[in-house]
Amino acid sequence: MKSFFYTLPGTISGNRIKFYAVLLIVLAVCFQGMGKLTRDDSIESWLGEDSPVIKQQRELERVFGNNEDMAILVEARDGDVFSAESLAALLRLQETLENYRLRVQDDTETPLNHIQEIVSLVNVPVTDVTGDNLYTHPFIGNFNSTSDNVSNPEDASLRARLKRRALTDVDLLRRFVSTDGRIAAFHLKTDFGRLGDASQTDTTVDSTLLDNQLLELDLASLEAPVTDASSETPPPLAKKQNISYKEYSLFSNAVKSLVSEAGVEEQFRIHYAGLPELIAFHVAIGAENKVIFSGLFLLMMVVLLALFRHPSIVLWCMCIPILTVILTFGVQGWSGQPSSDLAAAMSLLLIIIGVADAVHIMAEYRHGRLIGQPHPEAIAQAMSKAGLSCLLTSLTTMVAFLSLYLVKPNIHTAIFGLFTTLGLGVAFVLSVVLLPLLLDIWRPAYKGVRVKEVSDTERATRFYSSVPVWVCRRPVFTLAAFFSVVIPVSAGIYFLKVDSNPLESFDESTYIRQAAEVADHYMGGTQNIDFMVNTGSVDALYDARVLHTIDRLQVRMREHFSDLVLTDNSIVNVLKRINQQFHGDDPDYYVLPESNAELGQLLFLFNTASPEERRKLVSEDFDSAKVMFGLKNGGSTDYIELVNTANLWGAEMFNELKADYPDLEVITAGGVVMFMTLFERIATSQLVSFLITLSVVTLTLLFLFRSLKIGILAMVPNVIPVAVTFGVMGWLGITLNNVTMIIAPIILGIAVDDTIHFINRFRNLLDKSDSVDTALIQTFATVGKAITYTTVILSAGLLTLLYSSNSEFQAFAYLSAIAFSTALAAEFFVTPALLKLFYSKKDTVQQYEVHTYEAPAKMAGE
């Protein structure tokens, strides 16, 4: 290998035209590939089409449609949304939002075409009973919307009745109005996130029809409950198209523009919540990437200039990661594998890790030139000394990322691991092939340097010569002092928790965080979990046992998870409300009747009066029912318990009906379920990923040392940064989430790079030295500065993420910096101390180490 790397620069220089031609062809092909790169951040692209949770979500959407909605929460500045001024503003806002239909007619490409329905207090359907007659009508309807004097809508007594009704109707509370009457909600049903296929049913209701609809039924005329076979089934939805994150941002901006046109800012403080708005917020802060990458490039150039003192080396070192990114994304484009939100992270890592090999090779090259070697000899010796180490460090780092692909926590993380691995391989190849070509074009002249043979010890700075001297004199004391700090810090692992809360990753001052807090405290929350009870039998929902079991499940969930569940809604709620209305609005009758006949009459009444609303809760064949729970924003630990418990209860409570409904199944779906599935996959896979990386790193060190004992000892300085990082997380209360979980294999894969460079150089020098001390001092003098600067580049490069508004990215940044700094400290103190103790006698090494490759006489004399 040393012979190969020594002769490689000469071979490349002698065939430079061929190499340039190949490089230009590859670049041209990869540029075309980048144009073919697609992006898909849909949930099924993360979990996979065959994922059970995706199949369940698709089944629910096939029957009831999707529910990825945007919520506009309006908080009355006068403290009452039913005051004359606030109510007028509420009506004006509803009317303005409904104008989206005109915008879509004029421009079918407008982002507003994602709106399926707008529901608020103005048009939400409610039922009323007069005698034996059931009425379905919008709650407020066209209340004074045509009046010229909007500051005085109707009389105070009517507004008081509306308020009293809203604050006593459990189906309106927290869904459309807060319990104190200060906040109202507009729900914008969208087509975002739809998983469906051509057979999917759309439950969209044209709210303009509701404004003119007043249905009346005579209870006395009812006979037996029958299925409404005459209900018109809506046309199926088209197959879902991939929607980019940018589309969410455009949609959010279009909606906010509509709200602005309504001119209600004087009456309301407006909050935007929901998954579409959260994604739009992610897109908005994505603009920070420009600043992050600009700062990264500037920082790297400053560090490289400080190390090499010549712009040519800085320029050529920076070419490596830039070309690496182009080639990697080009290959990904040709492969047909989609990009995702992880693309920016992959670019960042390829840039800061990809430059490391170039730095080590250039450091060796500069050292050779400074001691008087001509350019051909200097680059050949640099490749000979650093080439194998760079190959091994690249392989270990590649394995760390390849492990993400092997364990496949989700599709996009696997793609991220695969192409980051490819990119690091590309960076290594470019470093050993392209650098000799680039140095032929422009390189430092090193004129005026006094050329003479000087020992590495004489040339080393005071720091790099004093550290190994001090460690060699006191190896046991050094280890004891080092671990006296490391062990207490690492003890924080005991307090480390596994949890993830995406909303809490944003600062409390951000509007998305404030909106979520308003939704959690006063409304129905920002998260959801849905059940679909599929009996597999037509008209099964006329069976009182089925409806009462659904009721018991809702009550049990509401009571047991009272800290998380804010609202629950199903056909049971509707039937309870109608039953109460038929009994003079007596709260004692907000219950389900016991008999099939009574329940059947109520269900028939509701279906005939409002088939559109019934379709949102009960399937056309009355064989399936949807149960929705609105949840407060919380951590993944709480959600996992809720989802697992809900699944258990669903199976237990409906098991007694299996005798009559053998095909009965309870499907759990919704945003929380899919998020928890993603998180659990990542959590379980990271342990496997870490163990894979640990095994490969150990085997690599065993290969280097040819000794089991030394290989295991060499793992010590590489496990230390992982333990310290997790310990710091435990002490600071930073949780292991979907971002910080991937830090362990990455730290191990990168931290071992320094060990390999240090050990490989020590091995080469020990056979020529008169003592272990001399070999260690010379090792520090030759690679000490290089591993210091690569650590600085890695740490400082990741610290540019501190500019991000996402606290999870910020934590990843400074935790990585802590890990790499700890790895460098371990390399300076732990590794030399262990080597000093093991290699206490010179003859101990001879049986393990091989002789350094000597340059061919012809090349050495040039």
Side-chain angles (χ1 to χ4, degrees):
M1 291 299 293
K2 288 181 177 294
S3 175
F4 169 77
F5 283 114
Y6 184 88
T7 57
L8 183 61
T11 302
I12 294 172
S13 296
N15 297 273
R16 59 172 60 89
I17 302 300
K18 294 180 181 179
F19 279 99
Y20 280 132
V22 171
L23 178 62
L24 290 175
I25 293 173
V26 171
L27 280 174
V29 171
C30 288
F31 268 118
Q32 286 187 321
M34 290 180 68
K36 297 179 179 293
L37 193 61
T38 60
R39 177 163 178 155
D40 185 3
D41 284 299
S42 60
I43 187 65
E44 64 266 40
S45 73
W46 283 86
L47 292 173
E49 291 286 343
D50 296 329
S51 169
V53 69
I54 291 296
K55 291 181 179 179
Q56 290 183 347
Q57 184 72 23
R58 180 174 286 110
E59 177 63 18
L60 186 143
E61 290 185 4
R62 183 187 64 81
V63 180
F64 296 109
N66 70 303
N67 60 350
E68 193 168 299
D69 303 343
M70 179 179 183
I72 304 175
L73 308 178
V74 293
E75 183 179 0
R77 295 185 185 274
D78 60 11
D80 184 7
V81 294
F82 292 97
S83 69
E85 188 176 21
S86 296
L87 190 54
L90 198 73
L91 293 164
R92 192 163 65 250
L93 179 55
Q94 176 76 25
E95 185 177 359
T96 304
L97 289 173
E98 291 289 356
N99 285 337
Y100 86 88
R101 303 174 189 278
L102 299 176
R103 306 290 178 88
V104 173
Q105 289 177 0
D106 295 337
D107 178 14
T108 56
E109 299 300 321
T110 175
L112 295 174
N113 62 11
H114 292 292
I115 298 177
Q116 303 282 289
E117 181 185 9
I118 299 173
V119 186
S120 71
L121 282 174
V122 178
N123 67 337
V124 59
V126 294
T127 58
D128 275 312
V129 171
T130 302
D132 289 337
N133 297 329
L134 176 68
Y135 298 89
T136 300
H137 62 88
F139 179 63
I140 296 177
N142 292 322
F143 174 73
N144 204 52
S145 61
T146 60
S147 172
D148 293 332
N149 185 12
V150 294
S151 62
N152 184 29
E154 294 292 339
D155 58 75
S157 61
L158 178 55
R159 287 188 281 103
R161 288 197 300 273
L162 286 171
K163 181 176 181 179
R164 184 167 55 253
R165 167 71 183 272
L167 299 185
T168 56
D169 191 329
V170 294
D171 296 327
L172 296 180
L173 282 176
R174 282 190 172 269
R175 294 180 61 207
F176 296 98
V177 63
S178 61
T179 54
D180 58 3
R182 186 165 55 90
I183 301 172
F186 289 77
H187 295 280
L188 277 62
K189 181 179 176 62
T190 74
D191 63 358
F192 288 126
R194 183 185 300 157
L195 303 181
D197 50 36
S199 63
Q200 193 175 18
T201 301
D202 185 8
T203 60
T204 300
V205 182
D206 189 341
S207 59
T208 58
L209 296 177
L210 293 175
D211 292 339
N212 302 314
Q213 180 184 29
L214 184 62
L215 296 178
E216 179 179 333
L217 288 172
D218 187 350
L219 184 62
S221 66
L222 294 179
E223 296 180 357
V226 294
T227 303
D228 181 16
S230 62
S231 297
E232 183 180 353
T233 302
L237 294 174
K239 187 174 178 62
K240 180 237 177 191
Q241 300 294 322
N242 289 335
I243 298 176
S244 69
Y245 274 12
K246 184 179 180 181
E247 192 70 16
Y248 284 87
S249 180
L250 295 174
F251 172 76
S252 174
N253 293 335
V255 169
K256 291 174 183 176
S257 178
L258 268 183
V259 174
S260 179
E261 290 178 16
V264 296
E265 287 80 3
E266 291 185 5
Q267 291 79 32
F268 296 132
R269 282 184 289 271
I270 302 175
H271 310 278
Y272 299 91
L275 184 58
E277 185 59 26
L278 179 61
I279 295 175
F281 183 76
H282 269 288
V283 174
I285 66 173
E288 297 170 347
N289 289 339
K290 296 180 181 178
V291 178
I292 291 172
F293 279 97
S294 298
L296 172 62
F297 276 103
L298 180 61
L299 180 64
M300 290 176 64
M301 287 189 291
V302 170
V303 173
L304 290 171
L305 188 60
L307 175 61
F308 296 112
R309 310 296 178 87
H310 197 277
S312 65
I313 298 184
V314 175
L315 177 62
W316 302 147
C317 283
M318 292 302 297
C319 280
I320 302 302
I322 293 173
L323 292 176
T324 296
V325 171
I326 295 173
L327 295 177
T328 303
F329 281 107
V331 173
Q332 185 175 354
W334 281 111
S335 72
Q337 296 293 338
S339 176
S340 70
D341 202 30
L342 295 173
M346 186 168 78
S347 300
L348 182 71
L349 289 170
L350 288 179
I351 290 170
I352 61 177
I353 301 175
V355 77
D357 290 340
V359 169
H360 281 283
I361 293 171
M362 285 299 197
E364 294 287 355
Y365 171 76
R366 181 174 182 271
H367 168 69
R369 294 303 306 276
L370 287 176
I371 62 173
Q373 292 178 349
H375 167 68
E377 174 66 11
I379 189 63
Q381 288 288 356
M383 287 290 187
S384 175
K385 294 176 181 178
L388 180 59
S389 296
C390 288
L391 173 61
L392 293 173
T393 57
S394 295
L395 289 175
T396 54
T397 310
M398 289 167 67
V399 166
F401 287 97
L402 185 61
S403 64
L404 297 176
Y405 173 76
L406 296 175
V407 299
K408 288 183 172 60
N410 56 71
I411 291 177
H412 282 308
T413 301
I415 293 174
F416 164 78
L418 176 62
F419 285 100
T420 303
T421 302
L422 173 66
L424 294 175
V426 169
F428 167 75
V429 173
L430 289 176
S431 296
V432 298
V433 172
L434 194 57
L435 285 180
L437 292 174
L438 295 175
L439 287 173
D440 284 343
I441 298 173
W442 185 26
R443 59 180 178 268
Y446 293 106
K447 294 180 180 179
V449 178
R450 186 164 54 95
V451 181
K452 67 174 184 178
E453 291 295 331
V454 291
S455 68
D456 288 335
T457 304
E458 293 173 333
R459 294 187 55 257
T461 62
R462 179 176 300 178
F463 174 77
Y464 288 107
S465 61
S466 61
V467 169
V469 171
W470 196 90
V471 172
C472 288
R473 290 176 179 173
R474 310 171 183 84
V476 176
F477 175 80
T478 300
L479 292 174
F482 193 89
F483 281 102
S484 68
V485 176
V486 168
I487 291 176
V489 174
S490 302
I493 295 176
Y494 178 79
F495 304 102
L496 188 62
K497 296 181 179 179
V498 179
D499 199 18
S500 185
N501 189 329
L503 269 173
E504 288 191 355
S505 66
F506 302 113
D507 190 86
E508 294 181 358
S509 63
T510 56
Y511 80 85
I512 194 72
R513 182 77 178 272
Q514 293 173 352
E517 290 177 357
V518 170
D520 287 345
H521 284 90
Y522 302 102
M523 304 300 287
T526 57
Q527 307 293 339
N528 68 284
I529 179 174
D530 299 333
F531 284 85
M532 185 174 78
V533 180
N534 182 9
T535 64
S537 177
V538 175
D539 290 338
L541 290 180
Y542 285 107
D543 187 340
R545 295 176 301 162
V546 176
L547 292 174
H548 278 280
T549 305
I550 293 175
D551 187 26
R552 289 197 302 273
L553 176 62
Q554 289 182 233
V555 171
R556 193 172 184 182
M557 289 282 291
R558 190 168 59 241
E559 292 178 350
H560 187 82
F561 295 103
S562 58
D563 56 335
L564 282 178
V565 176
L566 298 176
T567 63
D568 58 286
N569 186 39
S570 73
I571 187 61
V572 168
N573 301 63
V574 175
L575 298 180
K576 284 182 177 181
R577 178 64 179 161
I578 296 174
N579 189 51
Q580 180 184 359
Q581 289 173 328
F582 273 114
H583 291 83
D585 261 346
D586 185 345
D588 291 340
Y589 283 90
Y590 188 76
V591 293
L592 283 178
E594 294 294 332
S595 70
N596 285 350
E598 289 181 277
L599 277 173
Q601 287 179 340
L602 295 180
L603 185 56
F604 176 74
L605 273 172
F606 176 63
N607 176 52
T608 310
S610 186
E612 296 87 357
E613 291 302 307
R614 186 274 306 160
R615 195 176 289 120
K616 296 178 181 179
L617 302 173
V618 177
S619 64
E620 290 292 341
D621 292 332
F622 288 76
D623 59 346
S624 300
K626 182 180 181 182
V627 186
M628 299 167 284
F629 294 94
L631 307 178
K632 182 184 297 185
N633 181 59
S636 59
T637 302
D638 296 330
Y639 285 155
I640 289 174
E641 180 187 359
L642 183 146
V643 171
N644 292 339
T645 304
N647 287 331
L648 179 64
W649 287 348
E652 287 179 352
M653 297 176 73
F654 286 94
N655 187 55
E656 60 189 41
L657 300 175
K658 283 279 190 176
D660 294 325
Y661 305 103
D663 296 328
L664 188 147
E665 61 175 345
V666 180
I667 292 174
T668 311
V672 167
V673 176
M674 289 187 285
F675 170 67
M676 287 305 100
T677 301
L678 271 174
F679 182 78
E680 283 189 297
R681 284 191 183 182
I682 293 174
T684 54
S685 66
Q686 289 315 296
L687 176 60
V688 179
S689 178
F690 177 75
L691 292 175
I692 291 174
T693 306
L694 182 65
S695 301
V696 172
V697 167
T698 303
L699 291 174
T700 302
L701 293 176
L702 290 175
F703 167 76
L704 279 177
F705 276 103
R706 313 290 203 277
S707 165
L708 177 62
K709 181 177 181 180
I710 295 300
I712 294 175
L713 286 176
M715 283 304 301
V716 175
N718 296 293
V719 175
I720 287 174
V722 178
V724 167
T725 303
F726 284 168
V728 170
M729 291 175 65
W731 287 119
L732 296 181
I734 302 171
T735 59
L736 270 174
N737 53 50
N738 56 320
V739 174
T740 55
M741 273 185 176
I742 67 173
I743 202 171
I746 292 176
I747 290 174
L748 186 59
I750 296 176
V752 75
D753 292 0
D754 292 344
T755 302
I756 291 175
H757 280 289
F758 191 97
I759 291 173
N760 201 37
R761 178 48 55 88
F762 174 77
R763 182 193 68 181
N764 292 336
L765 293 171
L766 186 59
D767 200 45
K768 297 179 180 179
S769 304
D770 57 356
S771 67
V772 173
D773 295 24
T774 302
L776 284 172
I777 292 172
Q778 292 176 337
T779 300
F780 266 90
T782 53
V783 302
K785 186 175 290 187
I787 63 176
T788 300
Y789 274 77
T790 53
T791 300
V792 170
I793 290 174
L794 285 169
S795 301
L798 286 171
L799 284 174
T800 57
L801 286 174
L802 292 176
Y803 181 79
S804 173
S805 299
N806 191 316
S807 63
E808 291 179 349
F809 291 159
Q810 294 175 359
F812 184 85
Y814 62 74
L815 288 172
S816 297
I818 290 173
F820 298 143
S821 300
T822 303
L824 181 65
E827 221 56 61
F828 273 31
F829 298 103
V830 177
T831 301
L834 291 175
L835 292 175
K836 171 64 177 176
L837 290 174
F838 184 79
Y839 290 128
S840 57
K841 295 181 180 180
K842 181 67 161 50
D843 57 359
T844 309
V845 233
Q846 302 292 337
Q847 56 181 318
Y848 297 115
E849 306 305 330
V850 296
H851 291 282
T852 303
Y853 174 76
E854 298 293 341
K858 181 179 180 180
M859 178 67 80
E862 287 180 356

